[in-house]
Amino acid sequence: MPQVDTRLVQTAVIGGRDSDQPVILPEEPHNLDEFRRQFGTDRFWCGTLLGGCGEKLMTKRYETKVCHFSHYPAQDGSRSACHRTANGVDSADHLFIKMHVKEWLTQQGHAAQAELRSLNTGPGDAVDFWLRATQQHLRFELQPEDYRSWRRAADSLGAKEGHVEWVFGPDGPITRDVIARQGYALRVRCETAGTDRSVLIGTVTDKQPVGWAPLHECRMTTDGIVTPQLEELRATGAVRAGGMRNAPFPGNLPLRATELIFALDPGRQPPLSSPLTHRGRYLVPGFIKPTGSRILRAYLSLPEEVPAPTEHFVYRLSGLARLVITDPLDEPGSVWAVHADSLVRLNGLDAERTGLWRPSVSLPAAQVSAPAHTVPDALPVAPAEAERPSTVADQIRQELKKVARERTTVTWDELARRTGVDLSHMPDPKRRDLLAEVDEPLRAEVPLLCVLVRTPSGRHPFYLGAVLRKLGAQAPGSETALRRWREKEKQRNYDTYSPKLTTAQPPRPAHPTSTPAVPQPDPSAGWDVPPPGQLKAAAQLVKKLRLRLQDAATIRSETVEAPGANMAEACARAELHLEEYETARRWSPALRAWLNAGTAVTSDLEQAVTSAFATTGAAFPEHAGPTTDHTPPLTNPSTPASESIGPAATQADEPMGAERDAQDEARAEFQAIIDLIRTAQADEDVKAVEAGRHLAGPLYARRLSSADRERYTPFMREVKAWCRDRAPRPHVDPQLRRIQELLAMLRQDRETLSVEDLRRTLQDIGVLRRKLNGPLSLSEQGAIKRWHGRLTYRQRTETAHRPPSSAQTPPTRKSTEAHLAPTDRLPLETIDKLADAARQVLQDQARGGGGLLTWGELRHRMGGSLPHLHPDDQGELLVSVDRETPEGEPLLSTLIASADTSLHWLYRHVRFSLGRERIPDTELKTHWAAEVLRLRQIWRYR
């Protein structure tokens, strides 16, 4: 059976696989018909210049979903292989820009040569235009580069071809640099216009919003592209002539170490002799990026004991930062450098945000001699004393950041156990002052950590508002507003310290032989849940690495001599590996690779610790070699024998310790599954959430402690409700639903039902059964059979007790109306009278809470005055009930439901008859449920 191509391809090329003539497929079916008449049906290709496979495409027309291109199936019926990553309407913007800009230049009298450029991402990373007559070069850079690569390209193109006009796609640090040189920068974007994409040019300045203008309103001059807004800026003197040949405006350089980012400049060499060089320090050339400012070239002065930074990483300055300035006698002006005590490496995500680093550019495979590790945030490469917390507030701040990375909250008792500080018996005023000190100084871009502290009942401390006022912020005016603000601030902490995995595809390595140690998630592979075995092995490895790092800390604290370089390097690798666990545990392939790499990391660390014990002469512990899952940390070698705890003393504590370790391990596994479920919920992946829920169930019921189960019970209930709300509901045949309603009516009115009503109801059921697409269920077939048997019994009984009179009294009009068959139609006057009584019943029902009513319940509430109606009369009755309902209010007939309390099939007919807005089929059930709630709210106070 041929497999359906589910890739929603919106762009293609016309003329062949290597064509550069793009086209966009309309999404609406009537537009697609016109598109086919204009272009035909077999001229479309998944072009190589789009990153596609080069095969032909066909157009797919749909009435209920978006129309799109589709690949033809392979000869064996399987889905054709195509590795194209961009399929949306913007996936061919580079071809539209190439086509429209070339036409625009031709209209202005310029003969231009256009060429597509790849910046290691795809064929459409940049578009170059070369104007031979004026010796000008235009580059439309649609994919961002890191600053150092762009700087090298700009210098090379400028030296080779003279003036280069840069037009950027997304905004970023590079546009800030261009603005600093010429006072403005140009950007480009495309907008859909039928089957075409029109090109817009934007002018970016520091003080004005981006002004977008169509390409045909711009001019090409000897100074470059001139937009209408740029002409106004030049008239006021706000921009400089000369473009990129200008020296940049001076940049502001605040000297707060935590706000300075540094990256090495591999193209510059450090000076051999400089008045800025001091004994015990060395100079490094590179780039400095202050927070909120542009990137600057600068020299960085570092102590000799700090390892030299490499071009593979981006760093944040740490310790005391100073600006060192000197006035050389033989040179005009001043020479300056930034003086820092140490550096802190940034992880890959934070480094990429600075604009100073891109994985495909800064980490080529040829320069990486070992498997690349994602560097954690705040890992010191200087002596450890520079980053150790000096106050209780510093310790609490560090622990609260760890809590944010775990995406949870903490009580004061738990915080006391984590920090080792007696916080449990601290008075509330002291706790309030501590939280205020943790979040000082108040900055808008930094979330407040104090919201992560909760009471044992899960609420925020009562003095949270006082903390905000102590920080100089205005606290919310009510308790409800404070709770809502706290929830938003908690989410800001989670997003800042534990960002979710992005769905962008990881950049491809420069050489196929270089693979990272921990792979990044592939969006085409979907959501992959790590199995419990992997999570358990990862928790054991994390525990083992932490114990070995405690051993290393014991050696550093109790020996005079500094540990060797091997142990320092092994500790750094172990800490890096521990930080990688926070990301790897959310994806099965990444966690598998993390476990494989962890074997070597653990082995190196154990060997380094064992060697360090032997070198320093400290007491050699029994577990310094190969460890087990429950190996205790190394004890202090200097502890006197009289104070040591012997086997007899520790034997009683071993079961308790083992149980606590098992609970900690289960909690870590459960938290990993929570992260996976949250990620899947954000992606609306119901199957993935169900898989995570099935993993969490046994762990929650059997291995978590009672306190942890109580803590995670709201989460389990929330996930269950989330899955239930999104569970697909089976389609019910209207004929089958009507049969079910009639059977429910028979069960409800069995005591008052006449023989004639029963006979005609069973006749209606027989007519409906013949229209069904499939058979009834066994229970429904049995119920119909039993009702036929009851009808036969009652007919025999009535015949036996009927008096033998030849002249029978004709029935009265009242009895005739009471036993009207459902197939007999009522006059409109009778329907209007019945509608008045039904309206009163429905209004009372809405005032009393808005419970749903079936037709049998409505008949019972009306005291038997409502006969069994023909389906058309039922619709007329409901229309008459709501004829006086105001336009903006829900219909009273919304309360009429089927026998299974689901949406009644007449609801759509009533809305149509009253001229209400048509609701699509896919949204009708949701709309009906919302209208029921609105009706209850409106009639509650009437």
Side-chain angles (χ1 to χ4, degrees), residues 843-896:
Q843 289 176 354
D844 294 341
Q845 185 72 6
R847 292 189 188 97
L852 301 178
L853 292 175
T854 62
W855 280 101
E857 292 170 344
L858 179 62
R859 188 177 299 108
H860 178 73
R861 293 282 297 273
M862 293 177 63
S865 61
L866 179 65
H868 293 281
L869 300 177
H870 188 277
D872 293 342
D873 287 344
Q874 290 180 348
E876 293 296 329
L877 175 67
L878 296 181
V879 170
S880 181
V881 165
D882 281 307
R883 189 168 283 119
E884 298 177 2
T885 302
E887 181 66 25
E889 292 187 5
L891 302 176
L892 288 170
S893 55
T894 307
L895 297 179
I896 299 297

Side-chain angles (χ1 to χ4, degrees), residues 758-885:
L758 177 59
R759 182 182 65 82
R760 296 195 177 184
T761 301
L762 291 176
Q763 287 180 352
D764 291 344
I765 292 177
V767 173
L768 294 172
R769 286 186 68 178
R770 288 190 290 271
K771 298 179 181 180
L772 282 178
N773 296 326
L776 292 172
S777 64
L778 295 178
S779 60
E780 291 167 342
Q781 293 178 14
I784 294 175
K785 186 176 181 180
R786 287 191 297 272
W787 280 111
H788 276 289
R790 182 171 298 182
L791 174 63
T792 303
Y793 172 77
R794 292 186 61 180
Q795 286 176 338
R796 291 175 180 174
T797 304
E798 287 193 1
T799 303
H801 292 83
R802 184 177 299 169
S805 174
S806 58
Q808 297 185 5
T809 305
T812 63
R813 177 177 180 83
K814 182 176 181 180
S815 63
T816 303
E817 290 184 355
H819 296 283
L820 278 169
T823 56
D824 295 335
R825 300 296 304 274
L826 292 178
L828 293 180
E829 296 80 12
T830 304
I831 291 178
D832 291 339
K833 292 179 181 179
L834 293 174
D836 294 336
R839 185 184 303 110
Q840 186 64 40
V841 171
L842 292 175
Q843 289 176 354
D844 294 341
Q845 185 72 6
R847 292 189 188 97
L852 301 178
L853 292 175
T854 62
W855 280 101
E857 292 170 344
L858 179 62
R859 188 177 299 108
H860 178 73
R861 293 282 297 273
M862 293 177 63
S865 61
L866 179 65
H868 293 281
L869 300 177
H870 188 277
D872 293 342
D873 287 344
Q874 290 180 348
E876 293 296 329
L877 175 67
L878 296 181
V879 170
S880 181
V881 165
D882 281 307
R883 189 168 283 119
E884 298 177 2
T885 302

Side-chain angles (χ1 to χ4, degrees), residues 545 548-549 567 570-571 574 600-610:
L545 286 174
R548 296 291 75 78
L549 288 174
M567 194 180 81
C571 291
V601 174
T602 308
S603 177
D604 293 344
L605 182 59
E606 290 175 347
Q607 292 178 7
V609 171
T610 304

Side-chain angles (χ1 to χ4, degrees), residues 467-686:
V467 174
L468 297 180
R469 290 188 289 272
K470 194 174 182 65
L471 289 170
Q474 184 176 2
S478 65
E479 187 71 13
T480 304
L482 183 62
R483 284 199 303 269
R484 286 198 299 265
W485 170 85
R486 177 175 176 255
E487 291 301 321
K488 294 181 180 178
E489 198 69 9
K490 279 167 51 181
Q491 192 59 46
R492 282 188 63 202
N493 277 282
Y494 299 159
D495 296 340
T496 301
Y497 298 103
S498 179
K500 293 183 178 179
L501 294 177
T502 60
T503 59
Q505 183 176 1
R508 293 171 289 185
H511 298 280
T513 57
S514 173
T515 57
V518 178
Q520 296 298 316
D522 183 0
S524 63
W527 192 80
D528 197 354
V529 182
Q534 276 189 8
L535 295 174
K536 182 176 181 180
Q540 293 173 352
L541 182 58
V542 168
K543 180 181 177 182
K544 187 183 298 184
L545 286 174
R546 288 174 177 169
L547 292 177
R548 296 291 75 78
L549 288 174
Q550 291 179 15
D551 299 342
T554 302
I555 297 175
R556 287 197 297 265
S557 62
E558 303 204 8
T559 57
V560 178
E561 298 181 0
N566 291 338
M567 194 180 81
E569 182 180 355
C571 291
R573 288 186 61 194
E575 291 173 349
L576 294 180
H577 203 64
L578 284 176
E579 289 292 339
E580 286 177 350
Y581 174 67
E582 295 300 324
T583 300
R585 70 180 184 176
R586 306 178 186 182
W587 194 55
S588 182
L591 187 60
R592 192 183 308 116
W594 184 86
L595 286 170
N596 294 336
T599 304
V601 174
T602 308
S603 177
D604 293 344
L605 182 59
E606 290 175 347
Q607 292 178 7
V609 171
T610 304
S611 177
F613 269 104
T615 302
T616 56
F620 189 80
E622 294 181 359
H623 66 277
T627 59
T628 61
D629 293 341
H630 299 287
T631 304
L634 292 175
T635 56
N636 190 340
S638 62
T639 304
S642 59
E643 297 179 7
S644 62
I645 302 176
T650 60
Q651 185 175 2
D653 297 334
E654 287 181 358
M656 182 180 299
E659 181 180 358
R660 184 168 56 251
D661 292 342
Q663 293 175 358
D664 293 342
E665 181 180 317
R667 188 185 307 112
E669 294 181 28
F670 196 83
Q671 186 61 43
I673 296 175
I674 289 178
D675 294 341
L676 297 172
I677 292 177
R678 292 302 188 196
T679 304
Q681 284 180 327
D683 297 337
E684 289 293 327
D685 193 341
V686 179

